[in-house]
Amino acid sequence: EPEVTQTPSHQVTQMGQEVILRCVPISNHLYFYWYRQILGQKVEFLVSFYNNEISEKSEIFDDQFSVERPDGSNFTLKIRSTKLEDSAMYFCASSERHEQYFGPGTRLTVT
Amino acid sequence: GDSVTQMEGPVTLSEEAFLTINCTYTATGYPSLFWYVQYPGEGLQLLLKATKADDKGSNKGFEATYRKETTSFHLEKGSVQVSDSAVYFCALSERYGNKLVFGAGTILRVKS
């Protein structure tokens, strides 16, 4: 069964450093998303992406964040200058229609 | 804006007990509704969905019915197992391609 994959599973970085989180969505899906979950809190939407452009973004997704689909398979989230409060689990998801399928997540720890 | 409210947990049940996790929503249109499950240390898995009023979603013994009149989508299971222990999230989406709006999640613990 096709699945969304994410790398790395865990990333530790120092405050102020840039990180890139990678995702491979399900191959025939057209819509891509990033969400995050701070430990013990609810899952929050960051950004959605369709037809090679951002279709919606939340207030969290400020100028420090960017997304890219550099080739036909990868979908990346870049955080330019990480802050302590960026520590969270980051989930990528993709969908063809209503159902969004999630990857296993990348745990980002900012020290 | 859209929002989802779930009953607070944790919910602790004995094996074979009946489960209900309440979920109500606020939305401007007619959203699709979902239940996702997160097992310890894992990502979110789609459990079931309903895309219009009176639809019943079902999977692995879990069921939920889309009730427009009460804006609810309560999750039920007739007989829970220890392996059902997880965090359950109710969510909505206004249309496909749109973001999911999640509830806070409900921790379910099932004891043998």
Side-chain angles (χ1 to χ4, degrees):
Chain A
E1 186 176 322
E3 58 183 21
V4 176
T5 60
Q6 290 185 244
T7 54
S9 56
H10 191 190
Q11 172 96 44
V12 181
T13 189
Q14 290 193 324
M15 198 166 51
Q17 295 297 302
E18 175 184 286
V19 294
I20 297 176
L21 310 183
R22 292 184 167 80
C23 169
V24 179
I26 294 172
S27 61
N28 62 329
H29 286 184
L30 301 176
Y31 303 92
F32 314 114
Y33 316 82
W34 284 101
Y35 294 84
R36 79 173 186 191
Q37 184 181 31
I38 294 171
L39 187 63
Q41 297 186 25
K42 67 163 65 176
V43 179
E44 301 173 292
F45 167 76
L46 293 177
V47 65
S48 57
F49 193 85
Y50 171 71
N51 204 24
N52 284 318
E53 59 183 29
I54 291 173
S55 46
E56 187 178 4
K57 59 183 181 179
S58 71
E59 291 174 354
I60 304 167
F61 194 88
D62 61 22
D63 292 343
Q64 294 299 312
F65 291 87
S66 62
V67 289
E68 197 176 40
R69 189 153 162 83
D71 53 43
S73 58
N74 290 282
F75 180 50
T76 62
L77 174 69
K78 182 193 291 187
I79 309 175
R80 269 182 260 286
S81 177
T82 50
K83 307 184 189 73
L84 293 176
E85 54 265 36
D86 293 328
S87 295
M89 197 75 170
Y90 287 80
F91 293 106
C92 173
S94 69
S95 70
E96 185 181 15
R97 291 180 60 84
H98 294 283
E99 303 93 339
Q100 293 185 25
Y101 293 91
F102 284 74
T106 293
R107 179 167 298 285
L108 177 64
T109 302
V110 183
T111 61
Chain B
D2 296 349
S3 66
V4 175
T5 303
Q6 287 181 237
M7 64 187 286
E8 289 190 17
V11 174
T12 303
L13 296 173
S14 297
E15 211 166 17
E16 298 183 6
F18 184 85
L19 168 71
T20 300
I21 300 177
N22 290 339
C23 170
T24 57
Y25 67 90
T26 303
T28 50
Y30 300 98
S32 295
L33 302 173
F34 306 87
W35 278 100
Y36 281 84
V37 58
Q38 186 177 34
Y39 297 102
E42 297 186 15
L44 295 156
Q45 295 179 26
L46 178 63
L47 182 59
L48 53 84
K49 74 176 195 302
T51 56
K52 60 184 189 298
D54 300 325
D55 267 2
K56 179 187 279 189
S58 61
N59 186 25
K60 299 180 184 179
F62 291 90
E63 291 183 341
T65 301
Y66 190 141
R67 301 280 187 208
K68 186 160 84 75
E69 63 277 9
T70 53
T71 62
S72 65
F73 192 55
H74 305 320
L75 183 68
E76 296 182 335
K77 187 176 186 185
S79 175
V80 293
Q81 306 300 312
V82 171
S83 56
D84 293 326
S85 297
V87 184
Y88 291 81
F89 292 93
C90 186
L92 69 80
S93 176
E94 286 281 6
R95 67 186 72 83
Y96 64 83
N98 275 30
K99 66 185 179 192
L100 284 167
V101 175
F102 284 90
T106 302
I107 297 172
L108 171 65
R109 298 189 181 123
V110 181
K111 303 182 297 185
S112 59

